[in-house]
Amino acid sequence: MTTEAGPVRAPAGAQAVRRALDVLHCFHDNGPDLSASDLARRLDLSTSTAHRLARTLMGAGFLEQDARTARYRLGPAVTELGRLSYHQRGLHLAAPELNDLATRTGATADLALRSGAYAVIVAGGSVTPKVGLRRPLHSTALGKVLLAWPRAGEGGPRALPPLYAFTSRTIVEPGVLTGELARVREQGYALNDGESALGVRTVAVPVLERSGHARFALAVRATPSLISDERLDWFLTQARACARALEVLLLTPGERYVPEA
């Protein structure tokens, strides 16, 4: 970035902060513990630099180290902040609604929000210790909803990284994805019919803010034999009823009050 006075430099220390955050992002895939050399390879850093960053994060509680293997994993500070965020967003209130939706439909019910190029599942049946919580936006019904009703500052399809094909049905052209999102907005829901995994069908709807943007996406996921074409409208009715309830339950305290005229 430049101005009339010349190039604008990042604040001192910004690169170190960015690198430290990149280290934490290396643990997104919920894989095994990582060594300093693993981190260095993923981030294209020297092993000594990766080691210093990891030790600094460990000192602040964001990483911890296995005494036997010397490998790193996420630390208690991440857990603490995650739990605080979970409750501040009111997501503990969503669990009973999602459980009820899953019981009524016989499908897995999930709630997700957007993080960059991913839909991050924050509540629901897919939140398990062994399953990663991030889903690509372009190949999932949750992601299509979040792209179709974006919040301020969130980029569209052309801001995404190259679109990876998970199956032969995955949309990999930005222009085709743009057309798909137009249909999603017109219909009021998104469908993933084997685009991320064959034999899986997912239908998703937005959980809207008062501004009309999607705060979350809500999905029900099952086999095509359960979410059949004949029963799709019924599943949509159930999902939309749950989404309307969550739109009220997940209001922040400041949003619950209408200002006086």
Side-chain angles (χ1 to χ4, degrees), residues 105-116:
T105 61
T108 299
D110 288 319
L111 190 71
L113 51 75
R114 182 173 176 178
S115 177

Side-chain angles (χ1 to χ4, degrees), residues 157-158 163 170-183:
R158 298 191 181 278
L163 308 183
T170 308
I171 296 174
V172 295
E173 296 293 336
V176 177
L177 181 58
T178 298
E180 171 73 358
L181 297 180
R183 284 190 292 273

Side-chain angles (χ1 to χ4, degrees), residues 7-18:
V8 176
R9 293 182 173 85
Q15 184 183 36
V17 172
R18 178 70 259 177

Side-chain angles (χ1 to χ4, degrees), residues 241-254:
C242 184
R244 287 194 297 271
L246 292 177
E247 285 171 4
V248 177
L249 280 173
L250 299 179
L251 287 172
T252 64

Side-chain angles (χ1 to χ4, degrees), residues 91 94 98 101 108-115 118-124 135 137 140-151 154 184 188-190 202-209 213-220 239-240 242-243 246-247 250:
L91 293 170
L98 295 172
L101 178 61
T108 299
D110 288 319
L111 190 71
L113 51 75
R114 182 173 176 178
S115 177
Y118 295 92
V120 178
I121 299 175
V122 291
R135 303 287 188 273
L137 292 175
T140 59
L142 288 166
K144 291 178 188 177
V145 163
L146 295 169
L147 282 168
W149 286 272
R151 304 179 80 182
E154 293 178 338
V184 168
Y189 70 92
T202 307
V203 60
V205 297
V207 177
L208 296 170
E209 300 175 320
H213 303 295
R215 174 171 291 167
F216 299 97
L218 170 70
V220 287
R240 284 168 171 158
C242 184
L246 292 177
E247 285 171 4
L250 299 179

